[in-house]
Amino acid sequence: MANIFEAITKRLVEAWRSDEPGGRRSAFACRCERPVFFHNSLCLGCKAQLGYAPELLQVRSMELAEAPGTWKLDGEDLEESTTWKRCENFESPAGCNWLVRADEAEPLCRSCRLNRTIPVLDDPDNGLWWRRIENAKRRLVAQLLSLGLPVASKVSEDPEHGLMFDFLRSPEKGPRVLTGHAGGLITLNIEEANDSVREKTRHELREPYRTLLGHFRHEVGHYYWDRLVVGTPWLEKFRALFGDERQDYAAALKKNYEQGPPPNWADQYISSYASVHPWEDWAETWAHYLHVVDSLDTALRFGLKGEDVEQAVEPFTHQDLYDPDAPDAKRVILLVNSWVQLTTVLNELARSMGQHDYYPFVMSRPVLKKMHFIQMLVKETRGGTSLFE
């Protein structure tokens, strides 16, 4: 099965520059043919039950199977199709719409089983924030699965190499919970799900972009650096491109907080924070790679075409890539130039509504080289096994 990058570039070739009429092609649809969306668990039109099957990467309508609490997906042979059950967190404040194979002993879905600590639910705010957090985390996990990256629970599946999450709230008298990653554990301060708190922090730190999904994509970048780069031939290549991560991290942070980023940071980095240290440059670029791939995938699933968003932009060329001779060079350039073309219009749409830019970044040529480096690593890490192993 082609991964999400290959699927996107195939659709770019077939649809972005085609004479076919626009409109929805492969966005999720209910049995009644009404559109449904990633977080939906019920079709508001025909009232069909919906669930997200992570093995299929699809939201599907369902009907009850013979065994209590089990379901069959519509459109499959009822005699031979897989039987599913809802994730145990469906009835919780998390409102998880993901499915689990009925023959699995595990009651939690591929996303929820990654949790080690959830918020204390006696406080109603915590329940609301947890739902927002899980909505963002499910989108992250779905994308990681679609890219063919290893996703296993450190709690119940892979204690040595797995991934897990602690969702914590700072005590009234401190200390403040810090969002971050360490050894496969991603900690998130759940107050980031409070829009007013997050926006205040974004303004104070002068960040153009701060979201729950952005946090997750950044922190999981640190996890995959540990998982896919350390101890492999990619490490020296990483150092040549991003810098030597062995430099003092604490000293680099201190310098950034005291002096700020270098004045020309935008020439080399996707964000000012990326200039702090090679680890942060990697994590910010990794997150950006996920932003671009997922957003373009969404645009294409709804039938958006290049002719719909034509703008005068200076295109990148093969020579701007990390490896201009890589087999996927043409596809990468097509993807990135399509992204720049699309975001030019999306930014203007946001401005016409008085909103912040949809895409408040400038992608320089050095950043594109780093993104191509990440794409090459992801491609060779399909299914959790590196070709270097």
Side-chain angles (χ1 to χ4, degrees):
M1 175 177 167
N3 79 350
I4 189 171
F5 174 81
E6 293 167 338
I8 289 173
T9 51
K10 182 176 185 292
R11 292 203 301 276
L12 279 169
V13 171
E14 294 175 348
W16 193 255
R17 293 288 184 181
S18 76
D19 294 327
E20 296 178 10
R24 181 174 55 83
R25 288 186 178 82
S26 57
F28 305 130
C30 178
R31 67 165 74 116
C32 66
E33 299 186 355
R34 290 183 173 90
V36 294
F37 303 94
F38 181 71
H39 296 308
N40 291 161
S41 58
L42 178 72
C43 174
L44 297 181
C46 70
K47 308 304 178 184
Q49 293 289 316
L50 307 172
Y52 181 81
E55 287 86 349
L56 304 176
L57 304 174
Q58 294 178 345
V59 175
R60 299 283 293 274
S61 53
M62 312 181 298
E63 58 184 281
L64 285 169
E66 292 183 5
T70 63
W71 302 85
K72 297 278 191 179
L73 302 183
D74 285 340
E76 297 187 355
D77 189 315
L78 295 184
E79 298 297 326
E80 300 179 3
S81 64
T82 301
T83 305
W84 304 84
K85 59 186 178 184
R86 285 199 179 276
C87 174
E88 192 175 68
N89 275 336
F90 175 67
E91 299 289 350
S92 77
C96 181
N97 69 333
W98 282 32
L99 303 175
V100 184
R101 289 181 180 272
D103 57 5
E104 285 191 53
E106 172 64 66
L108 296 173
C109 70
R110 295 287 301 275
S111 180
C112 289
R113 69 185 65 168
L114 301 176
N115 294 345
R116 187 178 75 165
T117 307
I118 65 171
V120 177
L121 298 178
D122 293 343
D123 186 323
D125 283 342
N126 287 359
L128 172 64
W129 296 346
W130 185 37
R131 188 182 189 96
R132 293 174 181 175
I133 288 166
E134 291 295 341
N135 282 342
K137 179 164 71 72
R138 285 193 288 272
R139 188 170 290 277
L140 168 79
V141 175
Q143 185 181 20
L144 298 177
L145 293 172
S146 71
L147 284 168
L149 289 165
V151 182
S153 171
K154 195 176 182 71
V155 180
S156 59
E157 296 171 326
D158 187 349
E160 184 176 359
H161 300 295
L163 178 65
M164 63 184 179
F165 294 84
D166 280 353
F167 300 134
L168 306 174
R169 186 171 182 176
S170 302
E172 285 188 17
K173 297 183 180 180
R176 179 173 171 76
V177 171
L178 298 179
T179 295
H181 167 266
L185 169 63
I186 291 176
T187 301
L188 180 76
N189 186 332
I190 67 169
E191 293 173 61
E192 287 287 342
N194 182 329
D195 294 339
S196 60
V197 169
R198 191 179 62 257
E199 180 61 18
K200 181 175 183 290
T201 305
R202 188 192 71 80
H203 179 74
E204 289 174 346
L205 297 180
R206 299 179 181 178
E207 295 176 338
Y209 173 89
R210 189 180 183 95
T211 67
L212 289 171
L213 184 55
H215 279 311
F216 281 134
R217 285 174 171 165
H218 174 99
E219 299 303 339
V220 89
H222 288 301
Y223 166 72
Y224 283 113
W225 189 87
D226 288 346
R227 185 76 189 271
L228 307 179
V229 178
V230 176
T232 77
W234 287 106
L235 182 57
E236 288 305 317
K237 297 177 181 180
F238 164 86
R239 288 171 178 165
L241 185 61
F242 289 85
D244 193 334
E245 84 291 349
R246 292 170 293 187
Q247 62 182 272
D248 191 317
Y249 181 73
L253 279 179
K254 184 174 183 291
K255 179 181 178 182
N256 178 71
Y257 291 135
E258 291 178 351
Q259 302 179 18
N264 62 340
W265 65 262
D267 294 339
Q268 300 291 327
Y269 304 99
I270 192 61
S271 69
S272 61
Y273 190 61
S275 68
V276 169
H277 188 275
W279 280 336
E280 300 304 342
D281 190 11
W282 164 270
E284 286 286 89
T285 308
W286 175 279
H288 207 76
Y289 171 78
L290 297 186
H291 292 333
V292 171
V293 170
D294 197 25
S295 297
L296 256 182
D297 179 54
T298 299
L300 287 164
R301 283 194 293 109
F302 280 87
L304 196 61
K305 299 193 304 178
E307 285 79 357
D308 299 330
V309 294
E310 191 67 51
Q311 283 290 309
V313 294
E314 181 181 351
F316 291 105
T317 70
H318 296 180
Q319 297 306 312
D320 298 318
L321 297 177
Y322 175 75
D323 181 0
D325 299 321
D328 66 350
K330 289 184 179 179
R331 292 185 297 166
V332 172
I333 289 300
L334 177 60
L335 184 147
V336 173
N337 284 335
S338 298
W339 170 250
V340 173
Q341 184 181 0
L342 175 63
T343 54
T344 299
V345 173
L346 291 177
N347 280 349
E348 287 301 316
L349 286 173
R351 292 163 190 166
S352 72
M353 287 294 293
Q355 298 288 339
H356 298 297
D357 282 0
Y358 168 86
Y359 181 71
F361 303 96
V362 176
M363 189 188 301
S364 66
R365 284 172 169 77
V367 168
L368 176 55
K369 288 183 186 296
K370 296 170 187 176
M371 290 181 63
H372 188 216
F373 177 92
I374 290 173
Q375 161 58 21
M376 292 174 65
L377 185 150
V378 168
K379 185 177 179 181
E380 292 203 3
T381 314
R382 197 75 50 79
T385 302
S386 170
L387 297 182
F388 290 124
E389 296 177 358

